Amino acid sequence: MAASVVAAHPPMPYTPSVMDVEAQVIKETKSIMTQAQMLYCGMVLVVEIFLMWFYDQVPGGQAEATQAYIVANLMLACLWPQSKQTDQQQSGPVAGSRQVNTGSASPPKARTFFLDNVKVFCTVLVLIHHITIGFGGNGTLDWAIKIGNFKNSAFARYSIILLAFDQSFFMCLLFFIGGIFLPSSFKRKGAPGFIRERVKRFGWPVVVTFFVAMPFFRSVWGSVLVGGSWSLYTQAHWGVCWFLISLIVLSLAFAIVPWSSVKVAFPSTFTLIIAGVTLGILQGFTNAYKYNATWVGIQPASIGAMPVDLAFFAAGCIAKENGWLDAISNLAAKEYWLVRGTSLVAFTAAVSYLLVARPNLGWVDCADPNAEAHLAGSKFAPHLPSNLLEEILLGAVGGVLSTTLSVSVLHFFALHFNSQGWLAKLMSEAQYGVYVLQTFIIPFVMWTFIMILEAAGHKLEFVYCSGAPVSSTDISQGLIVGGWLYTITLVNLILWPLAHFFRKLPGVRDIL
C-alpha cells in the first residue's frame, strides 16, 4: 500500500510583538554622544576651570587676555571629536564649487615660488626688526629684553632707517600672502572644515604662548636680569602671536562673507598712490587717538599698521582670482620704475622727518612705568590730539610707502627669485615655525651677549619697564652694533634649523 503523502503547508508569517519592536528600537537607538565625545566634555570642564584659575591668578594685559580666551574657547569648539560620517560631510567642497581632482597632484606653478621667497625674506626682516628694537631701536617688546636704552644713542637714532623701511611693508605682505590661498582652501574644505583647520593651526601657538611659554619665560628673564622672586614677573602675553590672532579673526570673517568672487583689475600706479594716501590718513587717526584694535590684535603705529594690514589681507583674498600675481610679474618697465621711484621718495621723506623731529624715538622712559594708570581717574573731555595733523601727514606718506614698496618687493622677487632650490624650500617650510619660535630664541641669544659683556667687565643694570627687562646703562656704540650683529647671526643660525626639525615632531607638522 502506498504511503500517504501529507501536503506541506507554508509557514505562517511571523508578526513581531510590541515588546519585540520596542527592544529593536532600543537596540538601534544611538547614544547622543560617542564615548570619545563624552570624555572630551569632561576634559572641557577641566580646561574651563583652569582658564578661570588662570584669569584670576596670572596677570596679563586685558586686550591680550580677551583675545587669548576667545581663541582658547574657539579651539575647544573646533577640537570637538567628529564622527567619521559627519567629518566627511562637513569637509567636502562648498555647494556650487567645482570638485577638485585628487587623482594626481599637479606640480606647483613656477610663478608661486616667489611668494614663498617673499615670506622667508619678510620673516628674516621681522627677526632683524625685533632684534633692532632690543638694542635700543624704536618700540618695546613685552616678550623680550632691551639694552642700550639711553638718550642720544646713535644706533637707536639711525636704526629708524631700517625700522621704517621694513615696518612699511613686511607685515603688509605677510597679510597679503596670507589671504591669497584662502579662497581655494575654503572651496576645497567647505566652511566647517576651513574654520576648524584655521583655528587649530593658528590657535595652538597662541594658546601655548599665552598660557604656558610667556608666563614661564617672563618669570625667568625678570628674576635673572632684574632680580627678586620669579613670581613678581609672571605675566601672560601673546608675544608675536598677535598676527596669528588677526589671521583667525580675518579667516572667520572670510568664511562668513567669502568675497573672492569680486572682480577687480590690478590697480595702476596712480591708484596705488591714492589708496596709500587714503589708508595712511586713516592710519594717522588711529595712531593719534592711540586706537588699539584689540578685536583684531593690531596695535597702532605711524607706518604700516591696522588699516594697511587689513586692506592688504582683503587684496590678497581677491588677488589670485583676478590675475594680480601675473599682473605684478608682468609690470612694464615704465610702471615698475615709477612704483620704485615713488616708494623711494616716500621713504626719504618719512625717514628724514623721523630723524629730525624724533631723534630719541627709540628711548623708553622707565622713570614712571605705571604712568598709564593715572588715566583711570580722568574725566570725559572731548578734544583733538595735539599731534593729529602730524600723524595724518606722516601716515599719508607712510601709506604711499606701504603700497608702492610692497608692489616693488613683489615684482622684484617675481622677476629675480621665482625659483626654489633645496635651501629655499627648507626655509619656506620652516618660515611659520621661525616666526613663532623667535619669542623664545631672541631673548636667549641676547642674554648670552649680556653674559659676554659682564665677563668682559661691562655690568648692565636692569629695571622692569613696559613689561620687560630694560637696561639704560650707557655702553659704547661699538658694543651695541657688535651685539646687534652677533644676535642677528646667532638667532638665524639657531632658529631656521630648529624650526625645520621641530616641525618633524608628531602632531607638530600640521600646525607649524
Side-chain angles (χ1 to χ4, degrees):
M1 182 176 179
S4 61
V5 178
V6 179
H9 295 282
M12 295 294 292
Y14 172 72
T15 303
S17 65
V18 175
M19 294 183 64
D20 291 334
V21 173
E22 291 179 349
Q24 184 67 21
V25 170
I26 293 173
K27 183 178 179 181
E28 293 180 355
T29 299
K30 294 182 179 179
S31 173
I32 297 176
M33 292 186 292
T34 65
Q35 185 178 4
Q37 290 170 341
M38 287 188 286
L39 290 173
Y40 187 77
C41 286
M43 188 204 73
V44 168
L45 290 176
V46 174
V47 171
E48 290 293 349
I49 292 173
F50 167 78
L51 293 177
M52 297 174 195
W53 171 86
F54 193 93
Y55 185 85
D56 179 67
Q57 301 292 320
V58 182
Q62 184 177 2
E64 293 87 348
T66 301
Q67 291 285 8
Y69 276 81
I70 291 174
V71 171
N73 283 279
L74 282 174
M75 288 277 293
L76 291 175
C78 291
L79 290 173
W80 172 259
Q82 299 280 330
S83 65
K84 184 180 252 184
Q85 182 179 3
T86 304
D87 194 52
Q88 289 175 350
Q89 291 174 348
Q90 293 187 353
S91 297
V94 295
S97 64
R98 297 180 61 184
Q99 296 284 345
V100 180
N101 181 14
T102 58
S104 59
S106 57
K109 295 182 179 180
R111 74 168 186 266
T112 63
F113 286 136
F114 78 91
L115 294 177
D116 293 330
N117 296 332
V118 168
K119 284 169 65 176
V120 171
F121 173 64
C122 289
T123 303
V124 171
L125 284 181
V126 168
L127 300 179
I128 296 175
H129 186 93
H130 290 154
I131 293 169
T132 304
I133 294 174
F135 280 85
N138 174 41
T140 56
L141 298 176
D142 294 343
W143 49 270
I145 302 167
K146 185 162 187 172
I147 67 175
N149 181 53
F150 50 86
K151 286 187 174 181
N152 301 318
S153 168
F155 176 86
R157 180 177 185 180
Y158 292 104
S159 65
I160 194 62
I161 299 173
L162 171 65
L163 296 178
F165 169 76
D166 53 36
Q167 176 70 29
S168 67
F169 76 91
F170 64 168
M171 293 310 301
C172 303
L173 285 184
L174 289 178
F175 273 103
F176 176 77
I177 297 173
I180 284 178
F181 300 104
L182 244 62
S184 58
S185 177
F186 182 78
K187 290 178 182 178
R188 185 172 64 255
K189 298 173 182 176
F194 170 80
I195 292 173
R196 285 203 306 272
E197 187 271 337
R198 294 279 110 179
V199 171
K200 287 191 286 188
R201 185 159 192 252
F202 298 136
W204 274 118
V206 173
V207 169
V208 173
T209 298
F210 185 86
F211 293 102
V212 180
M214 279 295 97
F216 173 77
F217 284 105
R218 275 183 150 186
S219 301
V220 170
W221 300 129
S223 59
V224 169
L225 296 174
V226 183
S229 172
W230 61 269
S231 61
L232 295 173
Y233 311 101
T234 305
Q235 287 183 307
H237 197 269
W238 57 30
V240 298
C241 291
W242 66 268
F243 175 54
L244 308 184
I245 294 174
S246 300
L247 291 180
I248 291 175
V249 174
L250 295 174
S251 297
L252 292 174
F254 179 86
I256 297 171
V257 187
W259 62 85
S260 58
S261 59
V262 175
K263 298 300 179 184
V264 180
F266 182 72
S268 64
T269 303
F270 177 76
T271 305
L272 287 173
I273 294 173
I274 297 301
V277 170
T278 304
L279 292 170
I281 290 174
L282 181 58
Q283 186 162 270
F285 276 98
T286 64
N287 202 43
Y289 285 106
K290 298 179 176 61
Y291 175 61
N292 192 346
T294 56
W295 57 277
V296 76
I298 304 177
Q299 296 180 344
S302 297
I303 298 175
M306 183 193 69
V308 182
D309 290 342
L310 297 184
F312 269 71
F313 178 84
C317 291
I318 65 173
K320 193 175 181 181
E321 297 293 332
N322 286 277
W324 285 22
L325 301 182
D326 288 332
I328 292 172
S329 302
N330 299 319
L331 278 177
K334 178 182 177 181
E335 285 291 319
Y336 69 70
W337 279 115
L338 180 59
V339 170
R340 293 176 184 179
T342 304
S343 62
L344 180 60
V345 171
F347 174 71
T348 303
V351 168
S352 298
Y353 170 78
L354 292 172
L355 285 173
V356 174
R358 305 179 184 181
N360 289 305
L361 191 60
W363 177 66
V364 179
D365 186 5
C366 293
D368 187 10
N370 297 315
E372 294 182 4
H374 301 327
L375 298 176
S378 62
K379 296 181 179 180
F380 175 64
H383 67 285
L384 290 177
S386 59
N387 63 336
L388 179 60
L389 180 60
E390 174 190 359
E391 289 294 343
I392 288 176
L393 293 176
L394 180 59
V397 175
V400 173
L401 177 60
S402 293
T403 55
T404 56
L405 185 53
S406 296
V407 172
S408 298
V409 171
L410 288 171
H411 175 263
F412 183 81
F413 272 79
L415 204 63
H416 301 288
F417 297 97
N418 198 18
S419 60
Q420 212 172 52
W422 67 270
L423 180 59
K425 184 175 184 296
L426 291 180
M427 293 182 74
S428 66
E429 292 173 349
Q431 176 267 333
Y432 179 34
V434 167
Y435 180 86
V436 173
L437 295 174
Q438 65 170 306
T439 308
F440 321 122
I441 302 302
I442 289 178
F444 170 75
V445 175
M446 289 191 66
W447 172 76
T448 63
F449 178 69
I450 294 169
M451 294 299 99
I452 293 173
L453 286 180
E454 291 191 357
H458 301 279
K459 175 68 174 175
L460 301 184
E461 298 294 334
F462 284 88
V463 297
Y464 202 70
C465 174
S466 298
V470 176
S471 173
S472 298
T473 304
D474 195 337
I475 57 177
S476 70
Q477 297 298 298
L479 289 176
I480 292 178
V481 173
W484 178 69
L485 294 173
Y486 163 86
T487 305
I488 289 174
T489 303
L490 206 55
V491 162
N492 279 281
L493 289 177
I494 294 174
L495 259 179
W496 293 97
L498 174 64
H500 170 72
F501 289 107
F502 183 70
R503 67 188 300 269
K504 292 182 179 294
L505 295 175
V508 177
R509 185 180 184 87
D510 293 336
I511 299 171
L512 297 181

